[in-house]
């Protein structure tokens, strides 16, 4: 693309447009077009605060022809990455009109939003809040004609550091265990590809469960083909087998399969992932949001193990003190006092193996809500029953039964 210079960027931000509480967000559009400067993929429009270096980096990160895995024009790719020193880019990519060159296919159209470090912090370092704010003030779909320049946007951040309502979205055992396994993988690998049936809500909840200070370290892309020149940390590849093979050949690139997630043994799991499991299991959404939100902005990624251990101990200790003060059982929890209760738990194991979500939830609540000391012998009996039943069956990978085995293994702390 033609080199840009500050002189080219002759527009300036109007101070009169400043609005109290808003954040100045620069924007740019990267797509395929025939312009007076060149033909092909380039920045076709940008706002006054985009520097020449910003423009150069946006062209490096920008997805070009055939970069989207999906072919449906309604599908969207969301991406987030640093942009040089002290800036971040959140972008939204989708297919536009037919390629002007006639080579077939649709143009890949990317709308970028660039924020300073200070501006991004106003959005709690959460790229999904930036996208939501952008969608609230303008239509991000490609129009019939490409713009030639764009204004600096004034976006209004809102919400606390952590949204309890988003944590509540993952209330089922299957979702919770998936999120725990994902969090462990994301925190323990330098580059992670993820495949299968995922959606953006999952990534949004993952960011919501991270301390604000470490969120910028998790650059990501969704539904873009793998490219070594785009150095994302988390890379969503859908179900494209060829893209999975290409990415897996890269050094240090791990894989998380949403349709058959690998189980991480409890003893080797990242302490922050274990704390997330405790918070979800106890359904203490407001308390979990408060605790994560109070992690100081000085906290680093390497601090998360000690913070996670401290949070887990604090929440579990409080629950035990409350249980001692008020021994009334939770309605859905099985309290084994008779053989009938024991038999009920064994029956729940059998139902859970058949994929009965209610049975999984009840077993999960039973072992999360009561001290291990009182339940250990019964857990071991249920674990033996589970292992025996599972070994008698032929379980195909990716089926509901295989997922149930993964979850039961976590709940009963055993393996097949």
């Amino acid at each position: 693309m033609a080199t840009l210079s500050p002189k080219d960027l002759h527009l300036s931000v109007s101070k009169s447009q400043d609005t109290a509480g808003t954040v100045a967000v620069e924007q740019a559009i990267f797509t395929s077009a025939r312009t007076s400067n060149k033909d092909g993929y380039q920045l076709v429009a940008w706002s006054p605060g985009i520097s020449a270096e910003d423009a150069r980096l946006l062209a490096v990160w920008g997805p070009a022809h055939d970069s989207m895995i999906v072919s449906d024009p309604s599908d969207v790719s969301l991406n987030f990455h640093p942009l040089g020193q002290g800036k971040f880019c959140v972008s939204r990519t989708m297919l536009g009109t037919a390629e002007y060159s006639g080579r077939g296919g649709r143009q890949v159209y990317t709308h970028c939003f660039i924020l300073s470090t200070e501006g991004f912090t106003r959005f709690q370092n959460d790229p999904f809040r930036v996208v939501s704010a952008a969608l609230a003030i303008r239509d991000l779909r490609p129009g019939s004609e490409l713009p030639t320049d764009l204004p600096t946007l004034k976006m209004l951040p809102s919400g606390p550091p952590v949204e309890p309502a988003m944590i509540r979205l993952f209330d089922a055992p299957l979702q919770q265990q998936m999120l725990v396994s994902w969090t462990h993988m994301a925190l323990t690998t330098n580059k992670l590809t993820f495949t299968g049936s995922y959606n953006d809500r999952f990534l949004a909840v993952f960011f919501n469960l991270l301390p604000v200070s470490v969120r910028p370290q998790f650059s990501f892309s969704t539904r873009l083909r793998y490219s070594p020149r785009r150095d994302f940390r988390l890379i969503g590849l859908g179900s494209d087998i060829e893209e999975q093979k290409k990415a897996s050949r890269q050094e240090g690139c791990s894989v998380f399969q949403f349709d058959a997630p690998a189980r991480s043994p409890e003893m080797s799991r990242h302490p922050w992932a274990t704390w997330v499991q405790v918070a979800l299991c106890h359904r203490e959404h407001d308390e979990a949001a408060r605790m994560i939100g109070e992690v100081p902005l000085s906290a680093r990624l390497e601090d998360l193990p000690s913070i996670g251990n401290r949070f887990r101990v604090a929440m579990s200790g409080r629950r035990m003190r409350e249980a001692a003060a008020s021994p009334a059982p939770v309605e859905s929890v099985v309290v084994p006092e008779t053989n009938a209760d024991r038999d009920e738990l064994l029956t729940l194991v059998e139902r859970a193996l058949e994929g009965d979500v209610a049975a999984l939830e009840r077993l999960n609540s039973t072992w999360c809500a009561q001290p291990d000391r009182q339940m250990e012998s019964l857990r071991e009996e249920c674990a033996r029953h589970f292992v025996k039943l599972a070994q008698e069956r032929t379980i195909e990978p990716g089926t509901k039964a295989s997922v149930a085995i993964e979850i039961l293994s976590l709940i009963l702390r055993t393996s097949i």
Side-chain angles (χ1 to χ4, degrees):
M1 64 177 295
T3 302
L4 299 174
S5 69
K7 185 178 179 180
D8 297 319
L9 310 173
H10 57 278
L11 298 176
S12 60
V13 181
S14 171
K15 297 295 184 184
S16 63
Q17 294 175 354
D18 288 346
T19 305
T22 61
V23 174
V25 179
E26 305 298 336
Q27 55 175 338
I29 292 175
F30 182 81
T31 191
S32 175
R34 174 171 289 158
T35 68
S36 58
N37 290 327
K38 65 176 287 189
D39 294 344
Y41 278 87
Q42 58 186 301
L43 283 189
V44 297
W46 55 88
S47 57
I50 298 292
S51 68
E53 179 62 8
D54 294 339
R56 186 187 69 79
L57 293 173
L58 287 171
V60 171
W61 284 87
H65 181 69
D66 199 33
S67 289
M68 284 196 75
I69 291 175
V70 296
S71 57
D72 186 339
S74 65
D75 273 325
V76 172
S77 161
L78 294 181
N79 311 291
F80 162 66
H81 58 83
L83 191 74
Q85 293 294 322
K87 293 184 179 179
F88 296 95
C89 174
V90 181
S91 63
R92 187 176 185 272
T93 299
M94 61 189 309
L95 296 174
T97 58
E99 282 275 10
Y100 77 91
S101 60
R103 59 180 160 179
R106 293 173 176 270
Q107 65 179 175
V108 177
Y109 179 94
T110 301
H111 202 135
C112 306
F113 301 95
I114 296 89
L115 300 90
S116 66
T117 299
E118 296 75 17
F120 194 42
T121 301
R122 293 279 307 283
F123 284 91
Q124 310 294 355
N125 291 340
D126 187 340
F128 292 92
R129 300 188 193 212
V130 177
V131 173
S132 296
L135 286 169
I137 58 177
R138 65 172 299 157
D139 186 350
L140 302 183
R141 293 172 297 181
S144 56
E145 294 186 6
L146 294 172
T148 55
D149 55 55
L150 297 166
T152 299
L153 295 175
K154 297 293 183 182
M155 293 189 188
L156 184 62
S158 62
V162 184
E163 294 281 3
M166 291 200 66
I167 304 176
R168 290 190 184 92
L169 293 174
F170 279 55
D171 215 26
L174 175 61
Q175 294 172 316
Q176 293 177 0
Q177 298 306 329
M178 184 87 73
L179 191 58
V180 170
S181 296
W182 160 272
T183 302
H184 166 75
M185 289 289 289
L187 293 178
T188 55
T189 56
N190 293 324
K191 183 164 287 193
L192 179 66
T193 61
F194 49 104
T195 64
S197 305
Y198 62 86
N199 59 48
D200 295 338
R201 175 184 291 180
F202 184 90
L203 266 180
V205 174
F206 168 69
F207 269 84
N208 195 53
L209 284 168
L210 288 177
V212 170
S213 61
V214 305
R215 292 173 183 173
Q217 298 188 47
F218 289 88
S219 60
F220 69 83
S221 70
T222 64
R223 305 174 190 85
L224 289 185
R225 298 191 189 283
Y226 177 77
S227 171
R229 73 183 174 87
R230 294 192 287 265
D231 190 23
F232 292 111
R233 180 166 182 160
L234 308 173
I235 307 168
L237 298 174
S239 299
D240 192 302
I241 301 299
E242 290 305 314
E243 288 302 316
Q244 293 176 28
K245 291 179 179 177
K246 189 196 308 183
S248 64
R249 288 194 293 269
Q250 301 300 313
E251 184 178 359
C253 196
S254 303
V255 178
F256 183 89
Q257 297 182 9
F258 269 87
D259 295 333
R263 181 169 57 87
S264 58
E266 186 175 12
M267 294 303 294
S268 61
R269 190 183 301 144
H270 192 287
W272 187 265
T274 300
W275 137 251
V276 167
Q277 182 181 33
V278 170
L280 295 176
C281 188
H282 287 335
R283 291 182 168 81
E284 295 248 24
H285 311 110
D286 293 321
E287 178 67 4
R290 183 192 66 77
M291 295 173 78
I292 299 172
E294 290 182 355
V295 176
L297 288 176
S298 58
R300 304 162 302 172
L301 188 58
E302 53 266 37
D303 298 328
L304 289 198
S306 61
I307 299 174
N309 279 330
R310 192 169 71 244
F311 281 6
R312 176 180 56 78
V313 170
M315 179 171 279
S316 297
R318 186 177 61 81
R319 297 276 300 186
M320 292 179 69
R321 289 192 296 273
E322 290 176 353
S326 178
V330 178
E331 184 178 353
S332 62
V333 174
V334 178
V335 181
E337 295 178 345
T338 67
N339 283 334
D341 296 326
R342 166 190 168 279
D343 292 343
E344 183 179 1
L345 281 172
L346 295 179
T347 301
L348 284 176
V349 171
E350 296 168 13
R351 287 171 47 197
L353 259 178
E354 299 293 337
D356 186 327
V357 174
L360 281 169
E361 287 182 337
R362 204 166 179 203
L363 284 170
N364 194 40
S365 299
T366 297
W367 267 280
C368 283
Q370 298 172 77
D372 282 357
R373 198 167 43 188
Q374 299 177 17
M375 300 289 292
E376 186 59 19
S377 62
L378 193 55
R379 181 193 63 76
E380 291 176 352
E381 185 173 357
C382 285
R384 286 194 296 272
H385 188 54
F386 157 60
V387 171
K388 177 176 179 294
L389 291 175
Q391 290 178 340
E392 290 174 352
R393 303 180 184 190
T394 301
I395 308 295
E396 297 294 332
T399 62
K400 183 187 291 184
S402 71
V403 174
I405 284 178
E406 293 291 339
I407 297 173
L408 276 169
S409 297
L410 287 167
I411 294 173
L412 298 174
R413 302 205 298 276
T414 187
S415 59
I416 304 301

